Amino acid sequence: MPALDRALRKKLEKSVLQARRAAEAGARKSLEGLAVDNHEPWPEMTPDQRLLRNRLRAFGRQLGDRRDPQRGSQSIARLISECAYEHWHRMLFAR
């Protein structure tokens, strides 16, 4: 199988990076919508959503996201990267 032309390789690279940025933006929006970074869950959240939020916070801490003990908030940078990677990888290698 011959290698891709240089212009096509550049176009593929740009598309892959664009997909990664889109996946990170979507992951951030979803995690913030579930109040994963907030000190308390949103009042209108269902018990299932609260359980998911707690599990995501715990997973984020396993990844190395730090929790501020005084305010109760938690960084979600590594959790965003992990979620985005999973979705980006699925998009990239979808059949």
Side-chain angles (χ1 to χ4, degrees):
M1 185 165 156
L4 285 176
D5 181 55
R6 181 183 166 109
L8 289 175
R9 282 196 316 265
K10 276 294 195 185
K11 188 173 182 178
L12 177 63
E13 180 184 359
K14 286 180 183 180
S15 296
V16 168
L17 290 175
Q18 184 180 6
R20 180 63 189 246
R21 284 191 293 271
E24 286 182 357
R28 176 179 299 282
K29 191 175 250 188
S30 294
L31 292 172
E32 288 174 351
L34 288 170
V36 174
D37 60 334
N38 202 9
H39 67 288
E40 290 183 12
W42 306 126
E44 64 273 1
M45 290 177 76
T46 65
D48 288 338
Q49 289 173 324
R50 289 173 187 254
L51 181 63
L52 176 62
R53 176 187 175 270
N54 290 340
R55 288 182 177 174
L56 287 169
R57 284 175 64 95
F59 185 56
R61 286 191 300 274
Q62 286 177 348
L63 294 173
D65 284 338
R66 298 283 177 210
R67 183 176 173 270
D68 183 359
Q70 291 179 338
R71 291 188 293 165
S73 61
Q74 180 172 320
S75 68
I76 56 172
R78 293 183 183 191
L79 186 58
I80 288 170
S81 294
E82 182 67 21
C83 290
Y85 175 79
E86 289 296 325
H87 289 286
W88 168 80
H89 194 268
R90 246 184 252 143
M91 285 189 304
L92 187 62
F93 296 106
R95 292 182 182 202

